[in-house]
Amino acid sequence: MKVLSVTSELFPLVKTGGLADVTGSLPKALMSCGMETTSLLPGYPVVKQQFDTAVPVMHFDNLLGEQATLLRGEFDGLDLFVLDAPALFDRPGGPYVDADGNDHADNWKRFAALSRAAAEIANGLLPDWQPDLVHTHDWQSALTSVYMREMGCKVPVVITIHNLAFQGQYGADRLSAIGLPDSTYTTECLEYFGDISYLKGGLQTADAITTVSPTYAREILTPRFGMGLDGVLNERVMSLRGIVNGIDLDVWDPATDPFLPRNYGATTLKRKRENRNVLLQRFGLEEDDGPVFSAVTRLTWQKGMDMFADTADEVLYRGGKIIVFGKGDHEIEEALKRTAARFPGRMAVHIGYDEPTAHLIHAGSDAIVQPSRFEPCGLTQLYALRYGCVPVVSRTGGLSETIIDANDAAMSARVATGFQFHPVNPDGLRLALRRALDTYSDTRNWARLQNQGMKTRFSWERSAEKYAAIYRELVRRRIGDAQAFDA
């Protein structure tokens, strides 16, 4: 089966978060299920610099008013299409924001163009390749199925919600500029509180909707987590399914990780200490026996990092150290920096992200803190488990499914892997940090937590088969419909 995956980022070419990890790992896992995936992504400068062996296969003279070339090739075991549209993607900054952290003013056009190109491919643009199914991801590619349906293209579409909070909401006056007729401006398609929502259009026109954990699939049906789209999702609940993300066990493996000063495994956990020493030196922190708590995340309200700024003293006053590594809202960044300034040598805040340092933090830290107010799945806690780094997480979304709380029963049964807290507020987080600190002081129990976490295997194998089953069902249904029509 040939699958077209449409995404705004893909690891290892371009990454701002977990979306890239998923879109980079899932196609490889699907190969064992008989699925051949080709991914389409924008031609950002960072993509074209690395993907320099691609060849042009099609030229667009007028892709929403812009010139564009479709490139094709292979990179790191992935089959790729890259949409090279310089006027849209060849610029400084990140995929979504400029160098100052502001949204690109024409994001509405940039990702509509990506979706339009994907729809053209699905509709038979290329003489030698047409997908049996299209898989879109988040709002940035959600318009693909809207364009496809307007073209009369019957190829089935799966859309995956990685984070419902981001919806691609723009003024209704953009409709003609993105090449869609007024007939799509209805509550059954794009209309959203007087605007248009790219994500809503995708949810209304895709054949199946998935999200990245069963718990999140239930949560988004409620007003609290539905972000204004709970009504749409409840109408389509029979097409909605939650599938927990996996991780690439080859990329995230402390035994072979090239980014680590010292490799280790479950039977050689003492070697983790060498990574800890390098980590503390890297961030200029005191080298003592106190626990190292880290946070590798976007510094946003969703991720609860404002709460961590308020509760970090719980760790620091008890002899621990803290490393915060990420970027996000300026106010939260400054609050964390102010906390760090009160504890020189005990807390470090680095604004930014790079993959090698993220690996070192997991390998050198004792605990990872994820106090998210909502979390569709979360991957950081899965990386942490793999590296013997104990997660402290809020009880929400995928965090509640992937971490087993270290309560008395779970500790006695030796199945606990971390610490959950609820309610999700500063008091709940503070109590969870205390529990983690108390357990850390018991060397044997802490080692059990580390070992149990390292035994868990959140590979893509099971999740990929669930996606493949959805693909097969949709393609069978399409074939059946076509045969019935012909008859």
Side-chain angles (χ1 to χ4, degrees):
M1 187 185 297
K2 295 190 292 292
V3 178
L4 175 65
S5 174
V6 193
T7 178
S8 57
E9 53 186 273
L10 179 146
F11 180 83
L13 286 169
V14 57
K15 172 180 174 177
T16 69
L19 169 62
D21 289 329
V22 173
T23 57
S25 300
L26 181 55
K28 296 178 181 178
L30 283 167
M31 291 176 66
S32 63
C33 305
M35 308 291 159
E36 297 178 359
T37 304
T38 302
S39 300
L40 171 67
L41 72 159
Y44 311 116
V46 67
V47 170
K48 291 196 294 180
Q49 288 165 11
Q50 300 172 81
F51 192 51
D52 55 6
T53 59
V55 296
V57 294
M58 184 63 65
H59 183 75
F60 296 92
D61 290 321
N62 183 10
L63 183 63
L64 302 188
E66 305 295 345
Q67 298 272 321
T69 302
L70 186 66
L71 308 176
R72 188 175 185 181
E74 186 268 344
F75 185 87
D76 194 37
L78 296 166
D79 292 322
L80 300 176
F81 290 124
V82 170
L83 184 63
D84 183 16
L88 299 174
F89 303 118
D90 191 0
R91 60 183 67 174
Y96 318 120
V97 299
D98 60 24
D100 296 322
N102 300 311
D103 286 353
H104 294 299
D106 59 347
N107 275 345
W108 62 272
K109 185 175 184 179
R110 299 168 75 231
F111 296 109
L114 176 70
S115 298
R116 180 59 183 256
E120 296 278 6
I121 295 170
N123 201 37
L125 175 71
L126 302 177
D128 62 340
W129 194 89
Q130 185 175 12
D132 300 298
L133 179 137
V134 175
H135 192 159
T136 64
H137 299 269
D138 275 350
W139 75 265
Q140 293 92 342
S141 59
L143 280 184
T144 301
S145 53
V146 179
Y147 285 119
M148 288 171 61
R149 301 316 176 219
E150 287 301 307
M151 295 173 183
C153 180
K154 302 297 185 182
V155 173
V157 179
V158 176
I159 185 170
T160 294
I161 304 167
H162 297 265
N163 193 332
L164 193 62
F166 304 102
Q167 301 179 0
Q169 183 175 352
Y170 299 104
D173 58 342
R174 305 289 189 193
L175 200 60
S176 61
I178 60 176
L180 287 170
D182 291 343
S183 59
T184 59
Y185 185 64
T186 65
T187 55
E188 288 74 33
C189 192
L190 289 169
E191 192 278 329
Y192 186 70
F193 297 105
D195 290 333
I196 57 174
S197 165
Y198 290 15
L199 182 59
K200 181 185 176 184
L203 296 177
Q204 293 283 41
T205 54
D207 298 276
I209 303 168
T210 70
T211 191
V212 290
S213 74
T215 296
Y216 192 59
R218 293 189 295 271
E219 288 177 342
I220 60 178
L221 297 174
T222 67
R224 179 182 177 189
F225 293 99
M227 304 291 173
L229 288 170
D230 50 291
V232 173
L233 291 163
N234 274 282
E235 288 179 359
R236 300 223 56 204
V237 68
M238 298 305 294
S239 301
L240 173 65
R241 185 172 179 185
I243 302 174
V244 174
N245 282 337
I247 63 173
D248 190 323
L249 299 184
D250 293 327
V251 172
W252 293 92
D253 183 355
T256 59
D257 193 331
F259 297 132
L260 304 188
R262 180 65 157 158
N263 293 116
Y264 64 96
T267 60
T268 54
L269 255 176
K270 289 183 179 180
R271 296 177 184 173
K272 186 176 167 71
R273 182 85 183 188
E274 297 178 41
N275 296 300
R276 169 198 173 98
N277 294 338
V278 173
L279 178 66
L280 294 176
Q281 292 170 10
R282 176 82 59 87
F283 283 90
L285 298 182
E286 298 171 5
E287 298 180 46
D288 56 33
D289 293 330
V292 180
F293 283 65
S294 295
V296 181
T297 184
R298 296 197 310 274
L299 308 182
T300 62
W301 180 89
Q302 178 210 329
K303 299 294 184 178
M305 292 307 293
D306 55 318
M307 293 190 290
F308 195 35
D310 293 339
T311 57
D313 58 338
E314 190 69 40
V315 174
L316 300 166
Y317 281 130
R318 292 186 55 175
K321 291 169 287 292
I322 290 176
I323 295 170
V324 176
F325 187 67
K327 57 184 177 180
D329 297 341
H330 178 72
E331 294 79 6
I332 295 177
E333 292 177 355
E334 292 303 309
L336 288 161
K337 288 179 182 178
R338 287 194 296 271
T339 304
R342 292 172 30 228
F343 298 91
R346 310 296 298 176
M347 180 174 175
V349 177
H350 176 86
I351 305 303
Y353 180 86
D354 66 82
E355 200 74 7
T357 305
H359 284 242
L360 176 61
I361 290 174
H362 283 88
S365 300
D366 298 294
I368 284 285
V369 182
Q370 287 177 266
S372 303
R373 288 182 169 89
F374 63 95
E375 190 62 68
C377 178
L379 292 174
T380 301
Q381 81 279 12
L382 305 184
Y383 303 146
L385 292 173
R386 183 94 163 128
Y387 282 61
C389 184
V390 179
V392 179
V393 304
S394 52
R395 189 179 301 154
T396 187
L399 299 177
S400 65
E401 294 186 7
T402 54
I403 302 303
I404 301 175
D405 182 65
N407 54 56
D408 289 343
M411 289 295 285
S412 298
R414 299 190 180 186
V415 296
T417 58
F419 300 88
Q420 291 187 8
F421 68 92
H422 194 273
V424 183
N425 58 31
D427 289 339
L429 174 57
R430 189 177 294 278
L431 288 172
L433 293 172
R434 287 178 186 171
R435 292 172 59 211
L437 289 161
D438 290 343
T439 305
Y440 181 82
S441 64
D442 185 329
T443 305
R444 180 176 294 181
N445 275 337
W446 191 263
R448 285 176 180 170
L449 275 177
Q450 290 179 297
N451 276 282
Q452 187 59 37
M454 295 184 78
K455 288 178 185 177
T456 60
R457 291 183 65 83
F458 286 96
S459 72
W460 270 110
E461 184 176 347
R462 286 181 297 176
S463 297
E465 182 51 51
K466 292 178 180 178
Y467 276 109
I470 293 173
Y471 293 177
R472 294 187 193 105
E473 173 58 29
L474 293 179
V475 171
R476 278 197 297 266
R477 192 186 307 168
R478 184 204 175 195
I479 293 171
D481 290 345
Q483 290 174 341
F485 180 79
D486 291 340

